[in-house]
Amino acid sequence: MNDHWSHKSDVVVIGAGLAGLSAARDLVAAGKSVAVLEARDRVGGRLLNHDLGDGQVTEIGGQFVGPTQDRILALAKDVGVETYRAEVPGENVYVHDGRSKRFSGHTPPDLLALPDMGIALARIGKAAARIDPAAPWKAPNALELDGMTYETWLRKAEITGGGVDLVNIFLNSAYGGEARDASALFSLWYVATFGDETHPGTMERGTGTTGGAQDSRFVGGSQLVAQRLAVELDGRIHLSAPVRRVTQDSTGVTVVSDAGEWHAEQVIVAIPPLLASRIVWDPLLPPQQDQLFQRLPFGTLMKCVAVYDKPFWRAEGLSGMGLLRGGSPIREMFDNTPQDGGPGVLMGFLGGKEWRKWAHRPARERRGAVLRSFAQVVGERAFETLDYVEQDWTAEQWTQGGPTSIAAPGVLTSYGEWMGRAFGRVHWAGAEFSPYWNGFMDGAVRSGQDAAAELLAQS
Amino acid sequence: MNDHWSHKSDVVVIGAGLAGLSAARDLVAAGKSVAVLEARDRVGGRLLNHDLGDGQVTEIGGQFVGPTQDRILALAKDVGVETYRAEVPGENVYVHDGRSKRFSGHTPPDLLALPDMGIALARIGKAAARIDPAAPWKAPNALELDGMTYETWLRKAEITGGGVDLVNIFLNSAYGGEARDASALFSLWYVATFGDETHPGTMERGTGTTGGAQDSRFVGGSQLVAQRLAVELDGRIHLSAPVRRVTQDSTGVTVVSDAGEWHAEQVIVAIPPLLASRIVWDPLLPPQQDQLFQRLPFGTLMKCVAVYDKPFWRAEGLSGMGLLRGGSPIREMFDNTPQDGGPGVLMGFLGGKEWRKWAHRPARERRGAVLRSFAQVVGERAFETLDYVEQDWTAEQWTQGGPTSIAAPGVLTSYGEWMGRAFGRVHWAGAEFSPYWNGFMDGAVRSGQDAAAELLAQS
């Protein structure tokens, strides 16, 4: 390599999402020299603001925060990004097989599904409470739970029809999958992660709006937190620098990227496990860790955003929040209007099996179907868009899915303990590596901070 | 790129395993210029001969062939590699919880497990018969079967304890996994692939020795077939040429490897889907195909081979074949002695959960445990080895697992139809892409021949 391509720092951080940026921040504060290598031409990873014009933004990546997500909330406060309550006054709408019905609060007005949902929440809560978020493979019935899909578990728990449908609506946006895609152990563990050291995870906190994971949004959009961190890290972030190879030996680590070669004492890899496994490792990753990363595919998720001159549904007493069962591409949607109320924005999740059905259809056809879903919730004016935007996270080279990784049966009990295990000079971070709010912004920040602490404790 | 790094051919084939070599052979016969790029410094992929000295070899990769595997058998005949019957006269041994018992024929002498196994075979056979090997996602109950693990299905079919154990012994060597690792649809489809167009697949054919998939071996070792093909393709194979990037547009395809850059009209990718997904694709793979490849992890399999001065067990009336239930690292073993009878070789599969338990233990400890397994089958002389060899396929950079890829629940019904779908100028081959003997040598050959035919039909 030519000298001008070769750089040196104490630590190289791979990935400038929230995990990598949080790690870099703590390392710099501890006096380390740090280089952050980011494949994209922007920071923020799975956070992405969409410009609405006139200084307004909405989000087409991760966006919600809520109670017990103390790591991201504290970090945002530190960098001067404020939050506001996401919930919009008004009634929600429940659509079942094409029939729309207004409702208030968290409980959809479905006489048939309701008892199922109540039973589901109670049984899920009880099962999740037995799982240690930091070591799900040690749960008393871990082997049994990891031998079946979550769909099988739900049916065994006598949660049928409506209950399974409603759980799937949640899983669509939570991990871009269906109950059949993940092991029961993974899915119940995922519920156990909806909390922190002093607040055990619950399904209610994960699915809730006010008081739950969809409680608040960031003024200026969630990506602003990453952008502010990048300003703090001025000069240390190298964009358009996808990492192709990581070589380590007793003298250090060499990281080869499209923007040059870096030499460091240690490395923090803060990208999804799937993408980490696509780097050329020399020496190879331990086979068990490679096997684990082979088995953490992404969910499938697209965000569909329609922009209107104003949030017209609010005047009609609607919150813009909708739950749709049976046949519509959008199964969950929200009012995604910026804080000051204009322009109006509706955002729907197109995830799981609906993504699989719709992602390869012509854009025009898909847009029509999405707006029909929106119209079932807010009425025919849904078709009168100023703009319509789709963000398909599966088509992003540097994510390859969304919003997070899913473990099928057999994975956590066979390989889970290899998840965050340091590999020589290489430490792991990213939303997938957190025992709390795994796959969320909070988990990303926590994982980055924890990886930095692990590294500093060793050096 | 410098000119001397730049090459041209009608077709580039990526991978010099049986699939790629078979494809290249047919393309050359049709008059195409072909370059085969192979990452390793040898041909044969998952086939690997181990030199025993004095011109003798045994295999530490794929090795068995049997009836209905007409593609590999015809190809071997064409290149002058002969087969011989693998089964050794004598009694087999069944070990259950440490107690050894001799038996003849296919049926282990277990009064408790036997009825389970009989029921299992009947029910598996019936279910597999309803699945089209070419389109398992179209089976009448595909959605139901793909919503659960094979373990769940076996238990629902009231196949308990012993039956599940015996199925798992088979799955260990067949796909390096456990019944919980795969969807019921995948596993029953896998049984349906144990045949050809005129012989529907059966579990008996897949598990059987004489008359089944373990019927015969190749004189000179299975890798010899690949080596002979390589001789035929003289000058067209480029070793130590791992492919890093494939770029295509309306004018052709550019393939960038460590050994230079190739330009071609079309490409056949004949490597496992997992490794294909680690190539940099420009444009990116269709998201559905990338999602599919994300979801085809390898099984975990190590082959353990002990070499003796002669096959001493034969004189004691033993075939060297053993089935071991409960606690031993080796769950299935064979006499792997070369055709002319010396030196003596025992080969055991260390797969699935036993691999996960043993792969990272110290080599000495694992060797001891493996030889104790062998001793339970052939007696204490198992410890008197001349040589002991392990081949861990998960530690091979250019395979990353063994013997083949497994689909968890939800994969085949969501993404299966994207499996072999040509991506512009890129066609797919490899053992994973065959509707018959998927994951076997025969499937590899078939997939390569079919990919060549698809390509030739288009050009």
Side-chain angles (χ1 to χ4, degrees):
Chain A
M1 281 278 165
N2 299 328
D3 273 355
H4 70 280
W5 279 87
S6 191
H7 313 271
K8 251 183 164 12
S9 64
D10 293 333
V11 184
V12 164
V13 174
I14 302 176
L18 277 181
L21 295 170
S22 300
R25 184 178 196 246
D26 287 3
L27 293 170
V28 169
K32 295 283 182 189
S33 65
V34 177
V36 181
L37 306 185
E38 167 57 44
R40 290 180 164 100
D41 59 3
R42 62 167 183 84
V43 299
R46 288 171 253 182
L47 305 184
L48 184 55
N49 282 356
H50 175 72
D51 189 357
L52 295 168
D54 294 331
Q56 298 281 24
V57 300
T58 190
E59 294 109 327
I60 50 179
Q63 64 175 72
F64 292 116
V65 285
T68 78
Q69 299 184 355
D70 299 332
R71 302 286 188 116
I72 177 64
L73 291 169
L75 180 67
K77 200 171 173 186
D78 270 9
V79 297
V81 178
E82 296 184 349
T83 61
Y84 65 100
R85 187 56 56 80
E87 198 169 7
V88 169
E91 289 183 301
N92 307 318
V93 173
Y94 177 68
V95 183
H96 188 193
D97 290 336
R99 289 187 307 280
S100 304
K101 206 165 176 179
R102 292 184 175 216
F103 72 103
S104 296
H106 295 303
T107 313
D110 189 318
L111 286 178
L112 292 170
L114 212 54
D116 273 351
M117 196 60 208
I119 292 169
L121 283 176
R123 292 192 176 154
I124 291 168
K126 198 174 157 192
R130 301 176 68 192
I131 299 174
D132 175 1
W137 48 89
K138 290 184 183 165
N141 52 347
L143 270 178
E144 186 196 344
L145 292 175
D146 209 29
M148 64 181 87
T149 63
Y150 196 32
E151 180 172 310
T152 296
W153 185 88
L154 290 167
R155 294 197 189 286
K156 276 170 78 95
E158 289 173 15
I159 297 160
T160 48
V164 175
D165 267 13
L166 290 170
V167 168
N168 272 329
I169 287 177
F170 165 69
L171 297 181
N172 252 244
S173 42
Y175 58 58
E178 306 285 327
R180 54 179 41 204
D181 297 341
S183 92
L185 180 64
F186 175 85
S187 298
L188 293 167
W189 165 72
Y190 211 72
V191 172
T193 73
F194 297 153
D196 62 19
E197 288 85 346
T198 51
H199 300 84
T202 65
M203 181 80 169
E204 288 82 348
R205 195 180 298 113
T207 59
T209 48
T210 299
Q214 285 68 237
D215 183 277
S216 298
R217 295 173 63 195
F218 288 113
V219 179
S222 55
Q223 196 190 1
L224 185 58
V225 180
Q227 288 160 337
R228 290 273 171 86
L229 287 168
V231 171
E232 272 192 12
L233 291 165
D234 184 39
R236 296 181 183 88
I237 300 176
H238 306 269
L239 300 177
S240 303
V243 169
R244 306 297 181 178
R245 180 185 292 268
V246 177
T247 307
Q248 59 175 319
D249 61 22
S250 61
T251 66
V253 196
T254 303
V255 179
V256 179
S257 84
D258 289 4
E261 187 172 308
W262 269 261
H263 301 279
E265 291 299 312
Q266 301 196 73
V267 167
I268 290 178
V269 178
I271 60 178
L274 170 77
L275 298 183
S277 75
R278 293 180 176 180
I279 290 174
V280 177
W281 293 94
D282 180 14
L284 295 178
L285 293 180
Q288 291 86 351
Q289 207 155 32
D290 193 281
Q291 286 286 329
L292 173 63
F293 292 179
Q294 287 183 30
R295 286 169 169 73
L296 292 171
F298 257 104
T300 50
L301 189 65
M302 188 186 281
K303 264 183 142 182
C304 302
V305 173
V307 183
Y308 305 91
D309 59 348
K310 57 183 182 179
F312 59 83
W313 50 92
R314 294 183 181 181
E316 293 162 32
L318 289 170
S319 70
M321 195 276 193
L323 291 175
L324 299 90
R325 257 187 83 194
S328 48
I330 301 298
R331 293 199 266 180
E332 192 177 15
M333 62 177 281
F334 292 94
D335 179 332
N336 230 30
T337 301
Q339 188 187 18
D340 68 3
V345 181
L346 291 176
M347 180 277 287
F349 291 110
L350 198 161
K353 71 176 180 187
E354 295 300 332
W355 180 90
R356 295 158 204 182
K357 183 174 163 188
W358 285 99
H360 57 289
R361 301 267 186 95
R364 193 192 173 85
E365 191 187 326
R366 188 170 54 245
R367 175 196 153 114
V370 168
L371 294 182
R372 276 194 295 282
S373 296
F374 287 0
Q376 289 181 313
V377 172
V378 300
E380 294 295 308
R381 283 177 68 185
F383 293 103
E384 298 165 17
T385 57
L386 294 182
D387 196 8
Y388 174 81
V389 182
E390 290 178 341
Q391 173 68 13
D392 185 358
W393 287 93
T394 68
E396 289 273 307
Q397 177 172 16
W398 303 114
T399 313
Q400 294 280 9
T404 189
S405 306
I406 308 173
V411 176
L412 283 182
T413 49
S414 294
Y415 304 106
E417 60 186 314
W418 288 86
M419 190 69 201
R421 196 176 288 194
F423 165 46
R425 296 168 178 273
V426 175
H427 306 261
W428 305 101
E432 280 84 356
F433 291 83
S434 176
Y436 297 105
W437 294 108
N438 186 286
F440 287 73
M441 284 187 258
D442 189 65
V445 172
R446 181 187 286 269
S447 75
Q449 293 173 344
D450 289 358
E454 176 184 278
L455 187 155
L456 291 168
Q458 282 180 18
S459 57
Chain B
M1 282 278 164
N2 300 329
D3 273 356
H4 70 280
W5 280 85
S6 190
H7 313 272
K8 250 183 164 10
S9 65
D10 293 333
V11 184
V12 164
V13 174
I14 303 176
L18 277 182
L21 295 170
S22 299
R25 182 177 198 246
D26 286 3
L27 293 170
V28 169
K32 296 282 182 189
S33 64
V34 176
V36 181
L37 305 184
E38 167 57 44
R40 291 180 163 100
D41 61 1
R42 63 168 182 83
V43 300
R46 287 170 254 182
L47 305 184
L48 184 55
N49 282 356
H50 176 72
D51 189 357
L52 295 169
D54 295 331
Q56 298 282 26
V57 300
T58 190
E59 293 111 326
I60 50 179
Q63 64 176 71
F64 292 117
V65 287
T68 77
Q69 299 184 354
D70 299 332
R71 301 286 188 116
I72 177 65
L73 291 169
L75 180 68
K77 201 170 174 186
D78 271 9
V79 296
V81 178
E82 296 184 350
T83 61
Y84 65 101
R85 187 57 54 83
E87 198 169 8
V88 169
E91 289 183 300
N92 307 317
V93 174
Y94 178 68
V95 183
H96 188 194
D97 289 337
R99 290 187 306 281
S100 304
K101 205 165 176 179
R102 291 181 175 220
F103 71 103
S104 296
H106 295 303
T107 312
D110 189 318
L111 285 178
L112 292 169
L114 212 56
D116 272 350
M117 197 59 207
I119 292 169
L121 284 176
R123 293 193 177 153
I124 291 168
K126 199 174 156 193
R130 301 176 68 193
I131 298 174
D132 175 0
W137 47 89
K138 289 185 183 165
N141 51 347
L143 270 177
E144 185 196 344
L145 293 175
D146 209 28
M148 65 181 87
T149 64
Y150 195 32
E151 180 172 310
T152 296
W153 185 86
L154 290 167
R155 294 198 188 285
K156 276 171 77 95
E158 288 171 16
I159 298 161
T160 48
V164 175
D165 267 14
L166 291 170
V167 169
N168 272 330
I169 288 177
F170 165 69
L171 297 181
N172 253 243
S173 43
Y175 58 58
E178 304 287 324
R180 54 179 42 205
D181 297 341
S183 93
L185 181 63
F186 175 85
S187 299
L188 293 167
W189 165 71
Y190 211 72
V191 172
T193 73
F194 297 153
D196 61 19
E197 288 84 346
T198 52
H199 300 84
T202 66
M203 181 81 170
E204 288 83 347
R205 195 180 298 111
T207 60
T209 48
T210 299
Q214 284 69 237
D215 183 278
S216 298
R217 295 175 62 197
F218 289 113
V219 179
S222 55
Q223 196 189 1
L224 185 57
V225 180
Q227 288 160 337
R228 291 273 170 87
L229 285 169
V231 170
E232 270 193 13
L233 290 165
D234 182 38
R236 296 181 182 89
I237 300 176
H238 306 269
L239 299 177
S240 303
V243 168
R244 306 298 182 178
R245 180 186 290 269
V246 177
T247 307
Q248 59 174 318
D249 61 22
S250 62
T251 66
V253 197
T254 302
V255 179
V256 178
S257 85
D258 289 3
E261 187 173 311
W262 269 261
H263 300 278
E265 291 298 312
Q266 300 195 74
V267 166
I268 290 178
V269 178
I271 59 178
L274 170 78
L275 297 183
S277 76
R278 293 180 176 181
I279 291 174
V280 178
W281 293 95
D282 180 15
L284 295 179
L285 293 179
Q288 290 86 351
Q289 207 154 32
D290 193 281
Q291 286 286 330
L292 173 63
F293 292 178
Q294 286 182 30
R295 286 169 169 74
L296 291 172
F298 258 103
T300 51
L301 189 65
M302 188 187 280
K303 264 184 141 180
C304 302
V305 173
V307 184
Y308 306 91
D309 59 348
K310 57 182 182 179
F312 58 85
W313 50 91
R314 293 183 182 182
E316 292 162 34
L318 289 171
S319 70
M321 195 277 194
L323 291 174
L324 299 90
R325 257 186 82 193
S328 48
I330 301 298
R331 293 199 266 180
E332 192 177 15
M333 61 177 282
F334 293 95
D335 178 332
N336 230 29
T337 302
Q339 188 187 18
D340 68 3
V345 182
L346 291 176
M347 181 277 289
F349 290 110
L350 199 161
K353 70 176 179 187
E354 295 300 331
W355 180 91
R356 295 158 204 182
K357 183 174 164 188
W358 286 99
H360 57 289
R361 301 266 188 94
R364 193 192 173 84
E365 192 187 326
R366 188 170 55 244
R367 176 196 153 114
V370 168
L371 293 182
R372 276 194 295 281
S373 295
F374 287 180
Q376 289 181 312
V377 172
V378 299
E380 294 296 308
R381 284 178 67 187
F383 294 104
E384 298 165 16
T385 59
L386 294 182
D387 195 9
Y388 174 80
V389 182
E390 290 177 341
Q391 172 68 13
D392 184 359
W393 286 93
T394 68
E396 290 273 307
Q397 178 171 17
W398 303 115
T399 314
Q400 295 280 8
T404 188
S405 306
I406 308 173
V411 176
L412 283 182
T413 49
S414 293
Y415 304 106
E417 60 186 314
W418 288 86
M419 191 68 200
R421 197 177 288 194
F423 166 46
R425 295 169 177 274
V426 175
H427 306 260
W428 306 102
E432 281 84 355
F433 291 83
S434 176
Y436 297 106
W437 294 106
N438 187 285
F440 286 73
M441 284 187 257
D442 189 66
V445 173
R446 180 186 287 268
S447 75
Q449 293 173 344
D450 289 357
E454 176 184 276
L455 187 156
L456 291 168
Q458 281 179 19
S459 55

